[in-house]
Amino acid sequence: MKKKQISIIGGGPAGLMAAEVLSAAGHAVTIYEAMPTVARKFLLAGKSGLNITHSEDYTRFVARFGKASDRLRPALDGFKPDDVRAWAEGLGTATFTGSSGRVFPKVMKASPLLRAWIARLEAHGVSILTRHRWTGFEDGGYAFETPQGHRVIHPDAALLALGGASWPRLGSNAAWVPWLHEKGVSIAPFRPANCGFDVDWSETFRGRFAGEPLKSVTATSPAGTFPGEFVITRHGIEGSLVYAHSAALRDALETGKPASLLVDLAPGRSTERLSKDLARQDRKGSFSNRLRKGAGLDGVKTGLLRELAKETDLQDPSKLASHVKSLPIPLTRPRPITEAISSAGGIEWSALDDGYMLSAIPGLFAAGEMLDWEAPTGGYLLTACVATGNAAGVGIGKWLGFGGRPAIAAINPLR
């Protein structure tokens, strides 16, 4: 049977995974990437220790994707967290589970995994063309600006895997939105996800504590209560604990209502105990000494209480204890989407069929972060990207009539 020509536009994890599925079936696959190298966001994320997936119970795992959980479920079922680990180890990257349940490569880097992945794709005949920027539809095909000039291609099928709207300097700039809109594709507006927030700090607090981490705390919002840490910035707050609450806080702010992150500065002590311990302190002592001796707090935690609580409350042991256990940090707005770890919004699920093809454009498929879903950090983002890439690859195979073997089948033939 004659090989089909399949074009994948975007060289991130979703696109690379689709290429693996399709090339394993023996067909001609070309990846078109606008940047000088593929998977730049993947590499940058890996510099601080790449979360490839999460080890929590699968029922809880699939619920982490909010409103999109049900629609994503078939793709996730086809490439579960254990499959992600098996896939990585099949590329020579052993993994381990951290104390948080997050799964990391033992080398704590993304580059060895990516090098092995590209080598396998190239061994399967995948062609990777960098500095090829998609510029829209033209003459019934797909137009590109390339180092050799303008080019239009007419593949048998194509996949868009162009990412969302966060970190545009790495290639995900959502330039494709108007082109798909013109074709009748429904697209939900992009919004920041896993983002920081602005807080109206005083100049005194900002100058003294910007850059300081707030460690060993818990934080509460409509998303729930979670332990962790975050960082005070010149603009407000950011960090992993803030990201866990960002979707709920962003949604609240978008309604025009006030939103606050409630912080427990002393999770190991009860309000009653703190009140008694603070009441025993010498009233003539400084506030810092009384708080250090009575509550074990100092530094940025002391500064945060001074910044946000009334002066009269700081002198009352009972009220001070209440603030220590539940200090609201009032938020003004999310940080810009260009700074966010990821984005919400994108191609609406109603615009896709079950095989990830755009109903308005037969033969064109989509996967990864350009679809309308979001998830917390901790391996969920990457797992959903490769899972949707896998599902779209299978969908393309079925649409072209030659089938499509999930990438994991090459690792575990029993699946």
Side-chain angles (χ1 to χ4, degrees):
M1 182 172 57
K2 182 181 178 181
K3 288 185 177 182
K4 299 290 186 179
Q5 300 293 321
I6 302 163
S7 298
I8 295 175
I9 303 172
L16 296 178
M17 184 56 72
E20 182 160 358
V21 173
L22 293 161
S23 62
H27 288 273
V29 179
T30 302
I31 297 173
Y32 297 87
E33 168 57 47
M35 304 299 285
T37 56
V38 299
R40 293 168 81 91
K41 187 174 178 181
F42 176 78
L43 284 174
L44 183 61
K47 286 187 176 181
S48 58
L50 181 69
N51 302 149
I52 65 168
T53 192
H54 203 286
S55 64
E56 71 180 347
D57 176 76
Y58 185 62
T59 301
R60 288 179 55 82
F61 182 93
V62 296
R64 299 292 191 186
F65 299 88
K67 296 177 181 178
S69 293
D70 289 343
R71 189 62 175 79
L72 274 173
R73 180 67 185 262
L76 294 170
D77 285 348
F79 213 94
K80 295 180 179 179
D82 285 346
D83 297 330
V84 176
R85 299 187 73 167
W87 165 79
E89 291 179 9
L91 287 169
T93 297
T95 62
F96 74 97
T97 302
S99 58
S100 64
R102 300 180 179 194
V103 177
F104 301 87
K106 286 186 177 179
V107 295
M108 294 298 288
K109 295 179 182 178
S111 51
L113 176 59
L114 181 60
R115 284 196 298 268
W117 198 1
I118 292 173
R120 184 156 79 185
L121 291 174
E122 291 177 339
H124 287 171
V126 175
S127 176
I128 300 175
L129 301 180
T130 57
R131 303 182 191 274
H132 280 59
R133 183 177 302 279
W134 184 45
T135 57
F137 301 99
E138 185 177 326
D139 295 333
Y142 306 88
F144 291 86
E145 292 301 325
T146 80
Q148 292 75 40
H150 186 69
R151 179 184 178 189
V152 179
I153 62 171
H154 296 84
D156 294 299
L159 169 71
L160 298 178
L162 293 165
S166 65
W167 292 10
R169 64 188 178 87
L170 300 180
S172 299
N173 59 12
W176 49 268
V177 170
W179 306 329
L180 293 188
H181 263 312
E182 290 176 2
K183 294 287 187 177
V185 178
S186 299
I187 301 172
F190 278 111
R191 300 179 292 160
N194 293 300
C195 59
F197 290 85
D198 286 345
V199 180
D200 288 333
W201 301 129
S202 67
E203 285 300 323
T204 299
F205 181 82
R206 179 183 291 114
R208 182 172 181 183
F209 294 108
E212 290 288 324
L214 202 68
K215 297 184 176 182
S216 301
V217 299
T218 64
T220 300
S221 76
T225 300
F226 312 112
E229 63 181 73
F230 60 93
V231 177
I232 303 297
T233 71
R234 290 193 60 80
H235 301 290
I237 55 175
E238 66 177 34
S240 58
L241 185 54
V242 175
Y243 303 154
H245 296 274
S246 62
L249 294 169
R250 177 203 64 212
D251 290 350
L253 287 168
E254 286 179 349
T255 67
K257 299 177 182 178
S260 295
L261 185 66
L262 296 177
V263 180
D264 182 348
L265 299 173
R269 303 192 189 192
S270 68
T271 305
E272 293 74 21
R273 177 186 169 187
L274 282 168
S275 182
K276 292 178 181 178
D277 290 345
L278 289 166
R280 283 197 291 265
Q281 304 309 309
D282 185 355
R283 292 293 185 107
K284 295 180 181 179
S286 68
F287 172 72
S288 297
N289 279 336
R290 287 187 287 114
L291 194 61
R292 178 176 53 82
K293 293 179 180 179
L297 304 182
D298 56 14
V300 65
K301 292 183 178 181
T302 299
L304 200 60
L305 286 163
R306 285 190 182 277
E307 176 76 2
L308 298 174
K310 295 179 180 179
E311 182 62 32
T312 53
D313 289 353
L314 299 181
Q315 307 306 319
D316 184 312
S318 178
K319 291 181 179 179
L320 177 56
S322 295
H323 285 304
V324 169
K325 294 298 293 179
S326 184
L327 184 66
I329 300 179
L331 312 175
T332 58
R333 66 191 69 83
R335 292 296 299 161
I337 196 169
T338 55
E339 299 178 11
I341 300 296
S342 58
S343 55
I347 297 172
E348 294 184 0
W349 291 101
S350 60
L352 299 170
D353 68 12
D354 291 341
Y356 284 76
M357 185 170 71
L358 295 171
S359 302
I361 314 173
L364 180 59
F365 296 71
E369 279 197 72
M370 64 188 304
L371 307 182
D372 185 14
W373 60 273
E374 63 179 311
T377 57
Y380 305 100
L381 293 164
L382 180 58
T383 298
C385 282
V386 296
T388 56
N390 180 67
V394 173
I396 291 171
K398 291 180 178 179
W399 187 75
L400 290 173
F402 62 81
R405 184 174 63 163
I408 196 64
I411 302 164
N412 183 359
L414 299 178
R415 281 187 57 84

